Amino acid sequence: MNERMKELVGILNRWAYEYYVLDAPSVEDREYDRLYDELRELERTTGVVLPDSPTRRVGGEPLKGFERHKHIARLFSLDKAVSEDELAAFFTRVQKAANPTYTVEYKFDGLTMCLTYKNGAFVCASTRGNGVEGEDVTAQALTLHSFPLSVSYKGTLEVRGEAVMRLSVLEQYNREHPDEPLKNARNAAAGAIRNLDPKQTALRRPEILFYDVNYRSDGMPASQEEAMAFLKQEGFQTYPFFKVCKTPDEVQEAIDEIEVERKKIDVLTDGAVVKVNEERVREELGYTDKFPRWAIAYKFEAEEAETTVMNVFWQVGRTGKLTPLAEVEPVELAGATVRRATLNNYGDLTKKDVKVNSRVLIRRSNEVIPEILGAVSHTEGSVPVGKPSVCPYCGSPVREVGANLFCSNEACPPRIVQKLAHFCSKNAMDVEGLSEQTLSLLFEKRGVKNFSDLYALTEESFEGLEGFREKKIRNLLSAIEKSKHIPLDRFLYALGIEGIGRVAARDLAAFGSVEAVAARTKEELLALENVGEVTANAILSYFANEENRAELARLKGAGVAPYTERRVTEGAFAGESVVLTGTLSSMGRTEAQKRIESLGGVCQSSVTAKTTLVVAGEKAGSKLDKAKKLDIPVISEEEFLKRLG
Ligand SMILES: [Zn+2]
């Protein structure tokens, strides 16, 4: 009897795999049903249900609540890139450490799940939760068919995938349930899995698309390629699109392909995932406290939605600028619930005619907080937003400059915290772990208000502050210590001088030191490509200010020593200001820039009167036109390669 049961389980599981995972059934439904019924009957008479019996796949009784489940290995979320610049920065970081290959996959928009196997048998399914602990959703997952109940691998295994509801399934569900239609595929999938009644899960027919081995007791697969092959071979459903790329340029091509294709596929996606392929390199790169350094999620721009403004309040930024932030009626936008939307400034608010209780159009671009595009309609209850005459935080008078309002108080608390947050941010001093929240706490409880105060922090400074355990404190202090040695351009950017973005900071860093920048005349500053009148004045007044000079001295005293990378001034491109445009077939843009700089040239992002040479690759566009207009010499890729030698 038991032998026959084993045989039936084997056959039925193979057929189900062909049907659900491969989408290539080899038998008629009724043939499947016939054997399924036979198995059910045997199970009923013997009282035995084999662990991988397909009869386990029916939803059980509703649960009272979800048990917690602790993952064996932490399920990291991925750092995000929302622009090509950020993606380029990721490649720069990775390439600096190693020369790996990359993989590109779709980023599915659903609910991340983790499945555990022991001794070849499925044990449980859980949600990602906070990465360390999730909810046990075994009963719900059992109603799905995208994964095997038994695997040939006999060690302990954790695999990771995304639970999704196919768009066609969502559509069909909504046709069948017109009274309670599901709004979007992402919430539908999450709601299906996190439903206490497994029968509801089954009704929505979610699926899981697997993409990672999260833990394997005898060691991780040697590469992402191997991991995917392993998953497929063990019978997990994977998505067919999977690319291995040798260079960042190839990655970009794959992403471009995804951006077009994703509108045609049956699964909701919001981007692409780029991973370092080789496990060996991944280990080398390691993790930040939040993310692996070897992978990044590239998110595409999203759409627009209409909603109602409920309230508008003002945020104070590091320059004292008051930014209107609207609380809006929660609305679904590209798979996320939006509750707040921003406007640029007071002028923007009046120009767009945004009032409380008005309907507005919002757009989630790549910013964290969506932007209000404009008012759609007003109601009788629409109330104009008043212009604040005093700062909502400190009560100081508000200064009006053009379309902007500013708090006039240099010591306004949110201003100080924002200044510190900017100083610590990724593109500035890159002090990992010093969030706005932590800085706010340090300001309130420990009086940290100058940049130099950060370098005076000790373990004792954190004593009695909630949420700071030994390890966290140590990490913070070591991140602060590490930031003392930082490229000069980042340091200059971190100071937060008005108008000094990352690009202008690089221009200034060419002077070689903070002191050298401080000694420049207005004419010398204006001669820089990215410094105009306003910024030049801001730089001069920054260094003329006693308090700023004292602060710079304190930073120096604390051991903050920005360095400059010595610029090469000799070579085939000495004295040239070069602009690259179009695609080069022989190398990526980053590499081309590096090589130009290593031969004494300076790379510019756009064609200006100072440009002396343009390298035009395939599909060169407006930059080439401008170069021609300005009579700037243009060379082809072939000539460029010759010049590189
Ligand atoms: Zn204020």
Side-chain angles (χ1 to χ4, degrees), residues 335-409:
T337 307
V338 170
R339 293 191 168 80
R340 298 191 303 177
T342 174
L343 289 143
N344 292 318
N345 50 40
Y346 179 73
D348 195 30
L349 180 91
T350 46
K351 194 178 76 204
K352 290 178 176 167
D353 196 25
V354 173
K355 297 174 182 169
V356 174
N357 294 328
S358 292
R359 296 288 287 172
V360 292
L361 195 64
I362 61 173
R363 178 173 63 200
R364 196 174 77 148
S365 56
N366 283 325
E367 315 307 319
V368 183
I369 304 175
E371 185 196 0
I372 295 186
L373 296 175
V376 178
S377 61
H378 300 296
T379 62
E380 278 176 28
S382 291
V383 188
V385 180
K387 180 159 102 185
S389 57
V390 295
C391 170
Y393 291 89
C394 69
S396 303
V398 161
R399 206 157 39 90
E400 191 167 355
V401 183
N404 293 312
L405 302 176
F406 291 91
C407 166
S408 56
N409 174 13

Side-chain angles (χ1 to χ4, degrees), residues 156-360:
T156 301
L157 175 71
E158 255 184 12
V159 297
R160 176 174 174 164
E162 193 82 356
V164 299
M165 190 161 169
R166 287 194 185 261
L167 300 173
S168 54
V169 173
L170 179 78
E171 218 173 278
Q172 196 191 339
Y173 180 95
N174 283 345
R175 266 201 310 273
E176 289 162 6
H177 302 82
D179 302 337
E180 277 178 278
L182 299 167
K183 269 183 289 177
N184 74 50
R186 180 214 199 169
N187 290 1
I193 300 293
R194 297 189 65 256
N195 198 308
L196 286 171
D197 184 357
K199 292 209 170 57
Q200 287 299 318
T201 312
L203 208 56
R204 295 191 190 181
R205 294 191 284 137
E207 297 175 23
I208 307 177
L209 294 164
F210 290 88
Y211 53 79
D212 256 338
V213 172
N214 195 50
Y215 176 83
R216 208 169 65 173
S217 52
D218 67 350
M220 296 292 277
S223 66
Q224 183 65 15
E225 259 179 299
E226 274 198 37
M228 292 302 277
F230 172 80
L231 289 170
K232 260 192 242 179
Q233 182 209 319
E234 290 288 11
F236 294 95
Q237 175 167 250
T238 58
Y239 195 80
F241 185 100
F242 178 77
K243 288 235 154 99
V244 179
C245 302
K246 288 200 196 69
T247 63
D249 283 353
E250 281 183 35
V251 172
Q252 188 61 55
E253 269 169 43
I255 289 176
D256 293 345
E257 190 182 335
I258 282 184
E259 186 154 20
V260 177
E261 290 302 313
R262 77 187 184 106
K263 306 212 167 89
K264 305 178 197 160
I265 69 171
D266 198 21
V267 189
L268 187 67
T269 62
D270 60 352
V273 174
V274 181
K275 293 173 187 162
V276 163
N277 193 13
E278 296 84 3
E279 177 64 21
R280 182 181 48 79
V281 181
R282 291 182 179 187
E283 275 169 18
E284 217 171 285
L285 291 167
Y287 296 80
T288 70
D289 62 341
K290 279 207 210 100
F291 308 118
R293 288 184 216 272
W294 43 262
I296 198 152
Y298 184 78
K299 297 256 264 180
F300 297 123
E301 287 211 28
E303 308 107 68
E304 301 168 0
E306 216 186 288
T307 182
T308 302
V309 175
M310 301 196 300
N311 197 2
V312 171
F313 53 96
W314 299 87
Q315 281 190 311
V316 179
R318 67 188 163 91
T319 59
K321 189 180 135 183
L322 267 60
T323 306
L325 189 66
E327 263 178 333
V328 297
E329 205 167 90
V331 61
E332 292 301 319
L333 185 54
T337 307
V338 170
R339 293 191 168 80
R340 298 191 303 177
T342 174
L343 289 143
N344 292 318
N345 50 40
Y346 179 73
D348 195 30
L349 180 91
T350 46
K351 194 178 76 204
K352 290 178 176 167
D353 196 25
V354 173
K355 297 174 182 169
V356 174
N357 294 328
S358 292
R359 296 288 287 172
V360 292

